[in-house]
PDB file of all heavy atoms in Angstrom:
ATOM      1  N   GLU A   1      87.447  97.384 108.020  1.00 97.00           N
ATOM      2  CA  GLU A   1      88.795  96.853 108.104  1.00 97.00           C
ATOM      3  C   GLU A   1      89.727  97.909 108.681  1.00 97.00           C
ATOM      4  O   GLU A   1      89.588  99.094 108.383  1.00 97.00           O
ATOM      5  CB  GLU A   1      89.312  96.426 106.726  1.00 97.00           C
ATOM      6  CG  GLU A   1      88.476  95.342 106.044  1.00 97.00           C
ATOM      7  CD  GLU A   1      87.464  95.901 105.067  1.00 97.00           C
ATOM      8  OE1 GLU A   1      87.137  97.107 105.161  1.00 97.00           O
ATOM      9  OE2 GLU A   1      86.995  95.140 104.199  1.00 97.00           O
ATOM     10  N   SER A   2      90.682  97.470 109.470  1.00 98.00           N
ATOM     11  CA  SER A   2      91.643  98.385 110.059  1.00 98.00           C
ATOM     12  C   SER A   2      92.934  97.636 110.358  1.00 98.00           C
ATOM     13  O   SER A   2      92.993  96.415 110.271  1.00 98.00           O
ATOM     14  CB  SER A   2      91.093  99.028 111.331  1.00 98.00           C
ATOM     15  OG  SER A   2      90.830  98.060 112.326  1.00 98.00           O
ATOM     16  N   GLY A   3      93.960  98.385 110.725  1.00 98.00           N
ATOM     17  CA  GLY A   3      95.221  97.793 111.133  1.00 98.00           C
ATOM     18  C   GLY A   3      96.326  97.860 110.108  1.00 98.00           C
ATOM     19  O   GLY A   3      97.458  97.464 110.400  1.00 98.00           O
ATOM     20  N   GLY A   4      96.031  98.344 108.923  1.00 98.00           N
ATOM     21  CA  GLY A   4      97.055  98.454 107.915  1.00 98.00           C
ATOM     22  C   GLY A   4      98.032  99.576 108.220  1.00 98.00           C
ATOM     23  O   GLY A   4      97.866 100.338 109.168  1.00 98.00           O
ATOM     24  N   GLY A   5      99.058  99.648 107.401  1.00 98.00           N
ATOM     25  CA  GLY A   5     100.061 100.671 107.588  1.00 98.00           C
ATOM     26  C   GLY A   5     101.277 100.408 106.746  1.00 98.00           C
ATOM     27  O   GLY A   5     101.272  99.550 105.856  1.00 98.00           O
ATOM     28  N   LEU A   6     102.321 101.149 107.032  1.00 98.00           N
ATOM     29  CA  LEU A   6     103.592 101.029 106.332  1.00 98.00           C
ATOM     30  C   LEU A   6     104.579 100.279 107.206  1.00 98.00           C
ATOM     31  O   LEU A   6     104.824 100.666 108.357  1.00 98.00           O
ATOM     32  CB  LEU A   6     104.132 102.415 105.994  1.00 98.00           C
ATOM     33  CG  LEU A   6     105.530 102.483 105.386  1.00 98.00           C
ATOM     34  CD1 LEU A   6     105.560 101.801 104.025  1.00 98.00           C
ATOM     35  CD2 LEU A   6     105.988 103.924 105.277  1.00 98.00           C
ATOM     36  N   VAL A   7     105.148  99.213 106.662  1.00 98.00           N
ATOM     37  CA  VAL A   7     106.143  98.432 107.384  1.00 98.00           C
ATOM     38  C   VAL A   7     107.296  98.098 106.455  1.00 98.00           C
ATOM     39  O   VAL A   7     107.157  98.100 105.229  1.00 98.00           O
ATOM     40  CB  VAL A   7     105.559  97.130 107.963  1.00 98.00           C
ATOM     41  CG1 VAL A   7     104.478  97.431 108.990  1.00 98.00           C
ATOM     42  CG2 VAL A   7     105.017  96.244 106.853  1.00 98.00           C
ATOM     43  N   GLN A   8     108.435  97.792 107.051  1.00 97.00           N
ATOM     44  CA  GLN A   8     109.585  97.347 106.291  1.00 97.00           C
ATOM     45  C   GLN A   8     109.498  95.846 106.021  1.00 97.00           C
ATOM     46  O   GLN A   8     108.794  95.121 106.733  1.00 97.00           O
ATOM     47  CB  GLN A   8     110.873  97.665 107.045  1.00 97.00           C
ATOM     48  CG  GLN A   8     111.153  99.149 107.196  1.00 97.00           C
ATOM     49  CD  GLN A   8     112.474  99.422 107.874  1.00 97.00           C
ATOM     50  OE1 GLN A   8     112.931  98.639 108.699  1.00 97.00           O
ATOM     51  NE2 GLN A   8     113.096 100.536 107.531  1.00 97.00           N
ATOM     52  N   PRO A   9     110.189  95.376 104.993  1.00 97.00           N
ATOM     53  CA  PRO A   9     110.209  93.933 104.757  1.00 97.00           C
ATOM     54  C   PRO A   9     110.624  93.164 106.002  1.00 97.00           C
ATOM     55  O   PRO A   9     111.560  93.547 106.707  1.00 97.00           O
ATOM     56  CB  PRO A   9     111.226  93.777 103.638  1.00 97.00           C
ATOM     57  CG  PRO A   9     111.165  95.078 102.904  1.00 97.00           C
ATOM     58  CD  PRO A   9     110.932  96.119 103.974  1.00 97.00           C
ATOM     59  N   GLY A  10     109.911  92.092 106.267  1.00 97.00           N
ATOM     60  CA  GLY A  10     110.143  91.312 107.462  1.00 97.00           C
ATOM     61  C   GLY A  10     109.295  91.718 108.639  1.00 97.00           C
ATOM     62  O   GLY A  10     109.263  90.999 109.651  1.00 97.00           O
ATOM     63  N   GLY A  11     108.604  92.824 108.525  1.00 97.00           N
ATOM     64  CA  GLY A  11     107.763  93.303 109.600  1.00 97.00           C
ATOM     65  C   GLY A  11     106.435  92.584 109.680  1.00 97.00           C
ATOM     66  O   GLY A  11     106.128  91.706 108.878  1.00 97.00           O
ATOM     67  N   SER A  12     105.640  92.996 110.661  1.00 98.00           N
ATOM     68  CA  SER A  12     104.365  92.349 110.925  1.00 98.00           C
ATOM     69  C   SER A  12     103.266  93.378 111.118  1.00 98.00           C
ATOM     70  O   SER A  12     103.508  94.499 111.558  1.00 98.00           O
ATOM     71  CB  SER A  12     104.441  91.479 112.180  1.00 98.00           C
ATOM     72  OG  SER A  12     105.398  90.445 112.045  1.00 98.00           O
ATOM     73  N   LEU A  13     102.060  92.966 110.805  1.00 98.00           N
ATOM     74  CA  LEU A  13     100.862  93.743 111.062  1.00 98.00           C
ATOM     75  C   LEU A  13      99.744  92.794 111.447  1.00 98.00           C
ATOM     76  O   LEU A  13      99.748  91.634 111.039  1.00 98.00           O
ATOM     77  CB  LEU A  13     100.430  94.546 109.836  1.00 98.00           C
ATOM     78  CG  LEU A  13     101.259  95.751 109.418  1.00 98.00           C
ATOM     79  CD1 LEU A  13     100.782  96.254 108.065  1.00 98.00           C
ATOM     80  CD2 LEU A  13     101.153  96.860 110.458  1.00 98.00           C
ATOM     81  N   ARG A  14      98.790  93.302 112.209  1.00 98.00           N
ATOM     82  CA  ARG A  14      97.578  92.551 112.485  1.00 98.00           C
ATOM     83  C   ARG A  14      96.385  93.370 112.027  1.00 98.00           C
ATOM     84  O   ARG A  14      96.128  94.453 112.552  1.00 98.00           O
ATOM     85  CB  ARG A  14      97.430  92.197 113.964  1.00 98.00           C
ATOM     86  CG  ARG A  14      96.272  91.212 114.198  1.00 98.00           C
ATOM     87  CD  ARG A  14      96.173  90.726 115.623  1.00 98.00           C
ATOM     88  NE  ARG A  14      95.561  91.709 116.504  1.00 98.00           N
ATOM     89  CZ  ARG A  14      94.933  91.409 117.628  1.00 98.00           C
ATOM     90  NH1 ARG A  14      94.830  90.142 118.019  1.00 98.00           N
ATOM     91  NH2 ARG A  14      94.427  92.369 118.380  1.00 98.00           N
ATOM     92  N   LEU A  15      95.678  92.831 111.070  1.00 98.00           N
ATOM     93  CA  LEU A  15      94.495  93.478 110.547  1.00 98.00           C
ATOM     94  C   LEU A  15      93.264  93.025 111.313  1.00 98.00           C
ATOM     95  O   LEU A  15      93.204  91.896 111.804  1.00 98.00           O
ATOM     96  CB  LEU A  15      94.311  93.162 109.064  1.00 98.00           C
ATOM     97  CG  LEU A  15      95.507  93.420 108.154  1.00 98.00           C
ATOM     98  CD1 LEU A  15      95.119  93.142 106.705  1.00 98.00           C
ATOM     99  CD2 LEU A  15      96.028  94.834 108.310  1.00 98.00           C
ATOM    100  N   SER A  16      92.287  93.909 111.391  1.00 98.00           N
ATOM    101  CA  SER A  16      91.029  93.602 112.047  1.00 98.00           C
ATOM    102  C   SER A  16      89.879  93.812 111.080  1.00 98.00           C
ATOM    103  O   SER A  16      89.902  94.725 110.253  1.00 98.00           O
ATOM    104  CB  SER A  16      90.816  94.490 113.275  1.00 98.00           C
ATOM    105  OG  SER A  16      91.804  94.269 114.253  1.00 98.00           O
ATOM    106  N   CYS A  17      88.887  92.975 111.211  1.00 97.00           N
ATOM    107  CA  CYS A  17      87.656  93.090 110.448  1.00 97.00           C
ATOM    108  C   CYS A  17      86.515  93.065 111.445  1.00 97.00           C
ATOM    109  O   CYS A  17      86.234  92.022 112.047  1.00 97.00           O
ATOM    110  CB  CYS A  17      87.535  91.945 109.443  1.00 97.00           C
ATOM    111  SG  CYS A  17      85.970  91.882 108.557  1.00 97.00           S
ATOM    112  N   ALA A  18      85.887  94.196 111.639  1.00 95.00           N
ATOM    113  CA  ALA A  18      84.818  94.330 112.608  1.00 95.00           C
ATOM    114  C   ALA A  18      83.479  94.521 111.907  1.00 95.00           C
ATOM    115  O   ALA A  18      83.404  95.176 110.867  1.00 95.00           O
ATOM    116  CB  ALA A  18      85.085  95.505 113.541  1.00 95.00           C
ATOM    117  N   GLY A  19      82.454  93.967 112.500  1.00 89.00           N
ATOM    118  CA  GLY A  19      81.119  94.101 111.954  1.00 89.00           C
ATOM    119  C   GLY A  19      80.368  95.257 112.572  1.00 89.00           C
ATOM    120  O   GLY A  19      80.410  95.462 113.781  1.00 89.00           O
ATOM    121  N   SER A  20      79.687  96.001 111.730  1.00 84.00           N
ATOM    122  CA  SER A  20      78.821  97.084 112.171  1.00 84.00           C
ATOM    123  C   SER A  20      77.417  96.773 111.685  1.00 84.00           C
ATOM    124  O   SER A  20      77.137  96.884 110.489  1.00 84.00           O
ATOM    125  CB  SER A  20      79.308  98.431 111.627  1.00 84.00           C
ATOM    126  OG  SER A  20      78.439  99.477 112.016  1.00 84.00           O
ATOM    127  N   GLY A  21      76.565  96.372 112.608  1.00 86.00           N
ATOM    128  CA  GLY A  21      75.224  95.993 112.238  1.00 86.00           C
ATOM    129  C   GLY A  21      75.124  94.654 111.544  1.00 86.00           C
ATOM    130  O   GLY A  21      74.097  94.353 110.918  1.00 86.00           O
ATOM    131  N   VAL A  22      76.166  93.854 111.650  1.00 89.00           N
ATOM    132  CA  VAL A  22      76.200  92.539 111.025  1.00 89.00           C
ATOM    133  C   VAL A  22      77.016  91.607 111.905  1.00 89.00           C
ATOM    134  O   VAL A  22      78.050  91.999 112.446  1.00 89.00           O
ATOM    135  CB  VAL A  22      76.777  92.619 109.595  1.00 89.00           C
ATOM    136  CG1 VAL A  22      78.170  93.238 109.610  1.00 89.00           C
ATOM    137  CG2 VAL A  22      76.802  91.256 108.939  1.00 89.00           C
ATOM    138  N   THR A  23      76.544  90.379 112.048  1.00 90.00           N
ATOM    139  CA  THR A  23      77.240  89.399 112.867  1.00 90.00           C
ATOM    140  C   THR A  23      78.035  88.449 111.993  1.00 90.00           C
ATOM    141  O   THR A  23      77.738  88.238 110.812  1.00 90.00           O
ATOM    142  CB  THR A  23      76.264  88.600 113.736  1.00 90.00           C
ATOM    143  OG1 THR A  23      75.301  87.948 112.902  1.00 90.00           O
ATOM    144  CG2 THR A  23      75.545  89.519 114.705  1.00 90.00           C
ATOM    145  N   PHE A  24      79.052  87.841 112.597  1.00 92.00           N
ATOM    146  CA  PHE A  24      79.963  86.979 111.862  1.00 92.00           C
ATOM    147  C   PHE A  24      79.888  85.509 112.264  1.00 92.00           C
ATOM    148  O   PHE A  24      80.179  84.634 111.446  1.00 92.00           O
ATOM    149  CB  PHE A  24      81.409  87.450 112.076  1.00 92.00           C
ATOM    150  CG  PHE A  24      81.736  88.791 111.474  1.00 92.00           C
ATOM    151  CD1 PHE A  24      82.839  89.500 111.924  1.00 92.00           C
ATOM    152  CD2 PHE A  24      80.975  89.335 110.461  1.00 92.00           C
ATOM    153  CE1 PHE A  24      83.165  90.727 111.380  1.00 92.00           C
ATOM    154  CE2 PHE A  24      81.284  90.563 109.907  1.00 92.00           C
ATOM    155  CZ  PHE A  24      82.388  91.259 110.372  1.00 92.00           C
ATOM    156  N   ASN A  25      79.560  85.219 113.505  1.00 91.00           N
ATOM    157  CA  ASN A  25      79.821  83.898 114.053  1.00 91.00           C
ATOM    158  C   ASN A  25      79.094  82.758 113.360  1.00 91.00           C
ATOM    159  O   ASN A  25      79.553  81.614 113.420  1.00 91.00           O
ATOM    160  CB  ASN A  25      79.540  83.876 115.561  1.00 91.00           C
ATOM    161  CG  ASN A  25      78.071  84.010 115.887  1.00 91.00           C
ATOM    162  OD1 ASN A  25      77.323  84.702 115.211  1.00 91.00           O
ATOM    163  ND2 ASN A  25      77.651  83.339 116.954  1.00 91.00           N
ATOM    164  N   LYS A  26      77.987  83.041 112.715  1.00 93.00           N
ATOM    165  CA  LYS A  26      77.241  81.996 112.015  1.00 93.00           C
ATOM    166  C   LYS A  26      77.725  81.788 110.588  1.00 93.00           C
ATOM    167  O   LYS A  26      77.240  80.879 109.901  1.00 93.00           O
ATOM    168  CB  LYS A  26      75.750  82.326 111.979  1.00 93.00           C
ATOM    169  CG  LYS A  26      75.071  82.388 113.336  1.00 93.00           C
ATOM    170  CD  LYS A  26      73.600  82.712 113.159  1.00 93.00           C
ATOM    171  CE  LYS A  26      72.873  82.789 114.484  1.00 93.00           C
ATOM    172  NZ  LYS A  26      71.433  83.131 114.300  1.00 93.00           N
ATOM    173  N   TYR A  27      78.660  82.594 110.157  1.00 94.00           N
ATOM    174  CA  TYR A  27      79.044  82.620 108.758  1.00 94.00           C
ATOM    175  C   TYR A  27      80.540  82.440 108.585  1.00 94.00           C
ATOM    176  O   TYR A  27      81.308  82.459 109.542  1.00 94.00           O
ATOM    177  CB  TYR A  27      78.603  83.943 108.121  1.00 94.00           C
ATOM    178  CG  TYR A  27      77.145  84.249 108.335  1.00 94.00           C
ATOM    179  CD1 TYR A  27      76.737  85.092 109.362  1.00 94.00           C
ATOM    180  CD2 TYR A  27      76.176  83.677 107.522  1.00 94.00           C
ATOM    181  CE1 TYR A  27      75.394  85.367 109.570  1.00 94.00           C
ATOM    182  CE2 TYR A  27      74.833  83.946 107.730  1.00 94.00           C
ATOM    183  CZ  TYR A  27      74.452  84.793 108.756  1.00 94.00           C
ATOM    184  OH  TYR A  27      73.114  85.053 108.958  1.00 94.00           O
ATOM    185  N   GLY A  28      80.923  82.244 107.343  1.00 96.00           N
ATOM    186  CA  GLY A  28      82.327  82.214 107.003  1.00 96.00           C
ATOM    187  C   GLY A  28      82.852  83.614 106.729  1.00 96.00           C
ATOM    188  O   GLY A  28      82.095  84.570 106.576  1.00 96.00           O
ATOM    189  N   MET A  29      84.162  83.704 106.680  1.00 96.00           N
ATOM    190  CA  MET A  29      84.793  84.979 106.408  1.00 96.00           C
ATOM    191  C   MET A  29      86.027  84.742 105.554  1.00 96.00           C
ATOM    192  O   MET A  29      86.763  83.774 105.769  1.00 96.00           O
ATOM    193  CB  MET A  29      85.180  85.695 107.701  1.00 96.00           C
ATOM    194  CG  MET A  29      85.746  87.098 107.506  1.00 96.00           C
ATOM    195  SD  MET A  29      84.514  88.256 106.828  1.00 96.00           S
ATOM    196  CE  MET A  29      83.415  88.394 108.235  1.00 96.00           C
ATOM    197  N   ARG A  30      86.240  85.629 104.609  1.00 97.00           N
ATOM    198  CA  ARG A  30      87.389  85.575 103.732  1.00 97.00           C
ATOM    199  C   ARG A  30      88.146  86.886 103.766  1.00 97.00           C
ATOM    200  O   ARG A  30      87.547  87.960 103.859  1.00 97.00           O
ATOM    201  CB  ARG A  30      86.964  85.263 102.292  1.00 97.00           C
ATOM    202  CG  ARG A  30      86.420  83.849 102.100  1.00 97.00           C
ATOM    203  CD  ARG A  30      85.754  83.678 100.767  1.00 97.00           C
ATOM    204  NE  ARG A  30      85.398  82.282 100.511  1.00 97.00           N
ATOM    205  CZ  ARG A  30      84.404  81.886  99.727  1.00 97.00           C
ATOM    206  NH1 ARG A  30      83.656  82.788  99.107  1.00 97.00           N
ATOM    207  NH2 ARG A  30      84.156  80.596  99.557  1.00 97.00           N
ATOM    208  N   TRP A  31      89.437  86.779 103.694  1.00 98.00           N
ATOM    209  CA  TRP A  31      90.298  87.932 103.490  1.00 98.00           C
ATOM    210  C   TRP A  31      90.788  87.927 102.046  1.00 98.00           C
ATOM    211  O   TRP A  31      91.284  86.906 101.557  1.00 98.00           O
ATOM    212  CB  TRP A  31      91.505  87.916 104.426  1.00 98.00           C
ATOM    213  CG  TRP A  31      91.218  88.358 105.819  1.00 98.00           C
ATOM    214  CD1 TRP A  31      90.985  87.568 106.904  1.00 98.00           C
ATOM    215  CD2 TRP A  31      91.166  89.717 106.288  1.00 98.00           C
ATOM    216  NE1 TRP A  31      90.785  88.345 108.024  1.00 98.00           N
ATOM    217  CE2 TRP A  31      90.891  89.664 107.680  1.00 98.00           C
ATOM    218  CE3 TRP A  31      91.322  90.960 105.688  1.00 98.00           C
ATOM    219  CZ2 TRP A  31      90.762  90.815 108.463  1.00 98.00           C
ATOM    220  CZ3 TRP A  31      91.191  92.101 106.469  1.00 98.00           C
ATOM    221  CH2 TRP A  31      90.920  92.021 107.833  1.00 98.00           C
ATOM    222  N   TYR A  32      90.645  89.069 101.401  1.00 98.00           N
ATOM    223  CA  TYR A  32      91.134  89.287 100.055  1.00 98.00           C
ATOM    224  C   TYR A  32      92.148  90.423 100.066  1.00 98.00           C
ATOM    225  O   TYR A  32      92.196  91.233 100.996  1.00 98.00           O
ATOM    226  CB  TYR A  32      90.003  89.681  99.104  1.00 98.00           C
ATOM    227  CG  TYR A  32      88.945  88.634  98.847  1.00 98.00           C
ATOM    228  CD1 TYR A  32      87.855  88.494  99.693  1.00 98.00           C
ATOM    229  CD2 TYR A  32      89.026  87.809  97.727  1.00 98.00           C
ATOM    230  CE1 TYR A  32      86.869  87.564  99.442  1.00 98.00           C
ATOM    231  CE2 TYR A  32      88.040  86.869  97.465  1.00 98.00           C
ATOM    232  CZ  TYR A  32      86.965  86.755  98.327  1.00 98.00           C
ATOM    233  OH  TYR A  32      85.980  85.826  98.069  1.00 98.00           O
ATOM    234  N   ARG A  33      92.902  90.499  99.003  1.00 98.00           N
ATOM    235  CA  ARG A  33      93.740  91.662  98.800  1.00 98.00           C
ATOM    236  C   ARG A  33      93.740  92.047  97.339  1.00 98.00           C
ATOM    237  O   ARG A  33      93.569  91.207  96.456  1.00 98.00           O
ATOM    238  CB  ARG A  33      95.166  91.437  99.296  1.00 98.00           C
ATOM    239  CG  ARG A  33      95.950  90.366  98.560  1.00 98.00           C
ATOM    240  CD  ARG A  33      97.295  90.165  99.248  1.00 98.00           C
ATOM    241  NE  ARG A  33      98.089  89.121  98.617  1.00 98.00           N
ATOM    242  CZ  ARG A  33      99.226  88.658  99.106  1.00 98.00           C
ATOM    243  NH1 ARG A  33      99.713  89.162 100.242  1.00 98.00           N
ATOM    244  NH2 ARG A  33      99.889  87.703  98.465  1.00 98.00           N
ATOM    245  N   LEU A  34      93.921  93.334  97.110  1.00 98.00           N
ATOM    246  CA  LEU A  34      93.938  93.877  95.770  1.00 98.00           C
ATOM    247  C   LEU A  34      95.157  94.776  95.640  1.00 98.00           C
ATOM    248  O   LEU A  34      95.239  95.817  96.289  1.00 98.00           O
ATOM    249  CB  LEU A  34      92.660  94.666  95.491  1.00 98.00           C
ATOM    250  CG  LEU A  34      92.531  95.263  94.088  1.00 98.00           C
ATOM    251  CD1 LEU A  34      92.519  94.172  93.035  1.00 98.00           C
ATOM    252  CD2 LEU A  34      91.270  96.116  93.999  1.00 98.00           C
TER     253      LEU A  34
END
């Protein structure tokens, strides 16, 4: 995962989830936060 950072309220970010040695297209994907 990448793309996070510090932003002010109202700002925007785009996060990325890249596979290393694993493919995604045949499967589902979920975003979680903690």
Side-chain angles (χ1 to χ4, degrees):
E1 300 96 341
S2 62
L6 174 64
V7 297
Q8 294 183 330
S12 299
L13 288 171
R14 189 174 78 155
L15 308 184
S16 297
C17 174
S20 178
V22 57
T23 58
F24 293 160
N25 69 325
K26 297 180 180 179
Y27 307 97
M29 185 66 69
R30 292 168 172 153
W31 281 98
Y32 295 86
R33 64 185 178 187
L34 182 62

